Amino acid sequence: MVILHLNAVSKRYETRRWALREVSFRQGKGVLGLVGPNGAGKTTLLRILATLLVPTEGIITWNTQDISINARDARRELGFLPQDFGVYPQLTAREFLQYIGTLKGLRGVQLQQRVGEVLEMVHLTAERDRRLRTFSGGMIRRIGIAQAFLNEPRLLILDEPTVGLDPSERVFFRQMVSGLQGDRLVILSTHIMSDVEAMATDLVLLQEGRLFWSGTPASLVADAEGGVWSATLPRDDLEALQAAYRLSSIIQNGDDAQVRILAHTRPVAAATPAMPTLEEAYLSLLNEPG
Amino acid sequence: MAAFFLIIRTELVLFLRSRGVWIAGLFLLLFGVWTATTIRESPLVAWNTLGAAALLLSLLLSFLTGDQISHDYGRHIDGVLLSTPISTLTYVWGKFLAAVISLMGLAALYLVAQLLVNQFDTWRDPPFLLGHSHYPSFGLWPFLLIWLVAILIPVLFGAALTLLGTTLLHGQRILSSVPLLLLWLGPVALQHWPTWLDLTVASLSRHFSFDGNTAATRLVASWKTALPPTNTLAERVVQLAQSDFSRPFPAFFLESRLIYAGMALLLIIGTTCNVYRHRCHG
């Protein structure tokens, strides 16, 4: 059974800026959504988990093994898609995946088979012998996803995996991650809350390098209950309302506007309590104005 | 080992599929033809011609590569590559050896062009900038010798220096080229450059007085008639010029080759440490 355990993990860069402070949590198999505003430390945490950075303080164990000490063992079980994923444009899709697959320890028939499977998985089999320089941004992202899955990792780290994918590819990707079988942990960092809603079984929120909240998506929504309001107002009132509260959605309808408002108390007389979405729950929790 | 050879193979594929390599290859072929015909026109300064060509060639080749690791950083491939179980040593040495093989391949084109041109007998009125061939074939040895002592080690060292430089400076070519230019042009420009630190054959040329006072130049100077020379004189001149390439090297020259080969090794160790540090500390 897979267990990832972070114990008071901190990271300070040479600039003396703390990117992470004393982050601790324990996670078993499933899909962990890692969310937080820009600069919250998500990418730093993912790079530490991908053994590309060593924490300044604290310990991370993967199945009881310290990944800083046993980095090579951890890398054998790891699949990583970085936020900025690049390729060698001179290689074909198949050559590139064979290259990464070999570095991950795959050989011979097994390598050929896995390359074929992941190309099929991301719907790029027909393009396998095309040079990567001819691929679109979305296709390159799919190659990134394919390489992360090559070694059937038990720890799969995906940093903004759906950026650049079109809506149908995004839906397909969500289904793929949600449908992953077996004893494995997927850690997913994203700004797109609908991705988290569709895939994550657990959530960790980071803010200013610290663990701010952790739990399940359902418990996050439950925590935010009573903090979201719905109202239909004349469009002329919108400006004043926006100045006072954070609005999570505005739907224009003739002279009126249907709005959803984040507020701890009833913001206007016409407002009625609404069931928060995950995105609204996240915004409420970060104590945004309203 | 499979990963090591795959890195070398992939780097070679990337090199061969890059736009500039075929232009560079063509240039080196033409450069080889040009130097070989120049020597056949004027064998008296064969050593200096081949030495200067070797300096230019090794400098040019050193500029052609060295950015394999910084390109991985720049293209954002490093995150994926370095999160695989591959060792840092395998990664860096694979990149370095691929660079050396690529450069040696290009340098071999230059040598092959020289050897092929040298197979021809005398000729007159060649096209373009090529010289007349008043003198008989020079044999293989001078070309091979200069290739081994004045190209092989400098290219090995140049590849190691640019690899470390561009890796440390995140691909900044101009800054990383400064030490390269200093070490290549310093011995030529400065008379008092330490001989044991001379990567070129400039000190050796001065040591042997190849700069205008050889037995061959003295013989031709004593000969008063115009070109073309008689067959007997041409053969004698070539024999004397060839003898320049048979002299035993002085100790300082061999020391300088050993020093630069050792420094190449240290530079690669330095690059490995730098990549290891990057892998751990970002």
Side-chain angles (χ1 to χ4, degrees):
Chain A
M1 190 172 142
V2 296
I3 291 285
L4 177 72
H5 185 203
L6 279 77
N7 186 11
V9 173
S10 299
K11 178 67 187 177
R12 184 174 60 185
Y13 286 112
E14 285 168 358
T15 52
R16 301 267 160 198
R17 184 179 68 85
W18 285 96
L20 276 183
R21 288 310 301 264
E22 295 176 348
V23 173
S24 300
F25 64 86
R26 195 179 174 86
Q27 181 67 39
K29 72 173 186 178
V31 179
L32 175 69
L34 186 63
V35 290
N38 287 332
K42 301 187 298 291
T43 293
T44 297
L45 179 57
L46 292 188
R47 287 183 72 84
I48 290 173
L49 293 173
T51 71
L52 295 169
L53 289 174
V54 172
T56 311
E57 292 167 10
I59 294 171
I60 300 173
T61 59
W62 170 247
N63 297 335
T64 72
Q65 296 236 314
D66 185 333
I67 66 164
S68 300
I69 296 168
N70 302 295
R72 207 160 178 193
D73 290 339
R75 286 171 187 147
R76 288 184 214 285
E77 304 200 352
L78 183 73
F80 177 49
L81 172 65
Q83 190 174 353
D84 300 314
F85 170 74
V87 294
Y88 294 119
Q90 300 99 317
L91 297 186
T92 65
R94 182 158 52 180
E95 286 171 337
F96 182 76
L97 291 173
Q98 282 173 343
Y99 181 56
I100 303 294
T102 306
L103 299 187
K104 288 185 173 198
L106 301 175
R107 299 285 183 272
V109 177
Q110 190 197 12
L111 173 67
Q112 302 305 328
Q113 191 182 329
R114 280 303 294 159
V115 167
E117 285 169 4
V118 295
L119 278 168
E120 187 64 40
M121 187 180 83
V122 296
H123 299 160
L124 285 173
T125 303
E127 322 293 334
R128 63 186 183 272
D129 292 321
R130 259 177 62 188
R131 298 262 176 100
L132 292 168
R133 72 156 60 95
T134 65
F135 276 34
S136 67
M139 289 163 87
I140 294 288
R141 201 70 192 155
R142 279 147 69 192
I143 289 291
I145 293 165
Q147 65 78 28
F149 280 82
L150 263 173
N151 56 333
E152 298 182 273
R154 294 216 296 163
L155 176 58
L156 182 59
I157 298 170
L158 306 167
D159 198 354
E160 302 283 356
T162 55
V163 169
L165 298 185
D166 65 33
S168 64
E169 288 168 347
R170 182 174 291 169
V171 168
F172 176 76
F173 174 77
R174 288 172 180 173
Q175 288 169 350
M176 198 170 70
V177 170
S178 304
L180 281 174
Q181 302 290 317
D183 193 22
R184 73 180 85 233
L185 169 61
V186 181
I187 301 178
L188 178 80
S189 161
T190 182
H191 282 101
I192 303 164
M193 292 307 285
S194 57
D195 282 348
V196 176
E197 210 159 16
M199 292 182 275
T201 55
D202 297 274
L203 269 181
V204 159
L205 263 69
L206 291 178
Q207 192 177 28
E208 294 175 356
R210 292 181 185 274
L211 178 70
F212 186 65
W213 186 93
S214 67
T216 63
S219 62
L220 179 63
V221 169
D223 283 357
E225 273 182 38
V228 180
W229 306 82
S230 175
T232 302
L233 302 166
R235 285 176 67 173
D236 295 343
D237 295 351
L238 268 183
E239 200 172 320
L241 194 66
Q242 276 179 308
Y245 299 100
R246 171 172 279 247
L247 308 186
S248 62
S249 98
I250 304 171
I251 299 169
Q252 310 275 5
N253 187 11
D255 291 337
D256 291 339
Q258 196 177 349
V259 294
R260 288 173 70 88
I261 310 156
L262 305 182
H264 296 301
T265 55
R266 189 184 299 271
V268 287
T272 55
M275 188 65 189
T277 63
L278 190 64
E279 186 166 58
E280 289 165 339
Y282 162 72
L283 292 173
S284 293
L285 194 73
L286 289 181
N287 201 20
E288 296 285 345
Chain B
M1 284 307 274
F4 177 67
F5 289 117
L6 182 77
I7 288 174
I8 294 177
R9 203 187 74 185
T10 304
E11 285 297 326
L12 291 177
V13 168
L14 295 175
F15 189 72
L16 287 174
R17 288 182 187 170
S18 61
R19 286 176 213 142
V21 67
W22 298 102
I23 298 167
L26 183 65
F27 171 78
L28 291 172
L29 276 172
L30 295 176
F31 192 48
V33 170
W34 182 77
T35 51
T37 60
T38 303
I39 289 168
R40 292 289 290 278
E41 185 181 27
S42 178
L44 315 176
V45 287
W47 178 273
N48 280 356
T49 304
L50 287 178
L55 178 131
L56 189 68
L57 180 78
S58 55
L59 186 60
L60 175 83
L61 288 176
S62 300
F63 282 123
L64 276 184
T65 184
D67 54 1
Q68 306 94 309
I69 294 173
S70 61
H71 257 194
D72 281 357
Y73 296 166
R75 290 180 188 135
H76 306 291
I77 309 173
D78 59 318
V80 169
L81 297 182
L82 299 179
S83 63
T84 65
I86 185 181
S87 75
T88 307
L89 203 64
T90 303
Y91 175 71
V92 175
W93 277 91
K95 297 273 184 185
F96 173 66
L97 285 180
V100 170
I101 293 167
S102 312
L103 298 184
M104 285 303 144
L106 287 174
L109 286 177
Y110 165 79
L111 180 66
V112 166
Q114 287 181 322
L115 298 182
L116 285 176
V117 168
N118 203 46
Q119 296 308 306
F120 292 110
D121 206 348
T122 55
W123 62 79
R124 302 296 301 270
D125 300 323
F128 310 118
L129 299 170
L130 306 180
H132 303 292
S133 169
H134 300 302
Y135 296 90
S137 172
F138 226 71
L140 304 182
W141 177 241
F143 300 105
L144 282 173
L145 180 75
I146 287 288
W147 198 87
L148 287 171
V149 301
I151 293 178
L152 187 66
I153 297 290
V155 165
L156 194 71
F157 174 76
L161 184 63
T162 47
L163 186 66
L164 178 66
T166 54
T167 304
L168 280 177
L169 298 168
H170 306 288
Q172 287 191 38
R173 273 282 182 189
I174 295 172
L175 272 180
S176 62
S177 300
V178 172
L180 206 67
L181 287 170
L182 188 73
L183 289 171
W184 256 257
L185 302 181
V188 181
L190 302 172
Q191 288 281 333
H192 299 294
W193 188 268
T195 52
W196 55 269
L197 203 60
D198 182 2
L199 188 59
T200 71
V201 290
S203 301
L204 192 64
S205 197
R206 285 185 205 116
H207 177 80
F208 285 149
S209 300
F210 283 151
D211 42 356
N213 189 26
T214 65
T217 54
R218 287 195 297 274
L219 176 69
V220 172
S222 67
W223 177 59
K224 305 295 182 194
T225 54
L227 287 172
T230 61
N231 286 348
T232 315
L233 182 71
E235 278 172 21
R236 182 68 190 133
V237 167
V238 167
Q239 275 173 10
L240 287 170
Q242 279 175 326
S243 69
D244 289 344
F245 292 89
S246 304
R247 299 192 194 188
F249 291 126
F252 76 78
F253 185 72
L254 298 173
E255 280 168 13
S256 69
R257 304 301 100 172
L258 279 175
I259 285 169
Y260 276 102
M263 276 172 28
L265 183 66
L266 288 177
L267 290 169
I268 294 305
I269 292 171
T271 308
T272 309
C273 292
N274 179 265
V275 173
Y276 182 78
R277 190 178 162 279
H278 172 81
R279 205 173 186 181
C280 294
H281 303 290

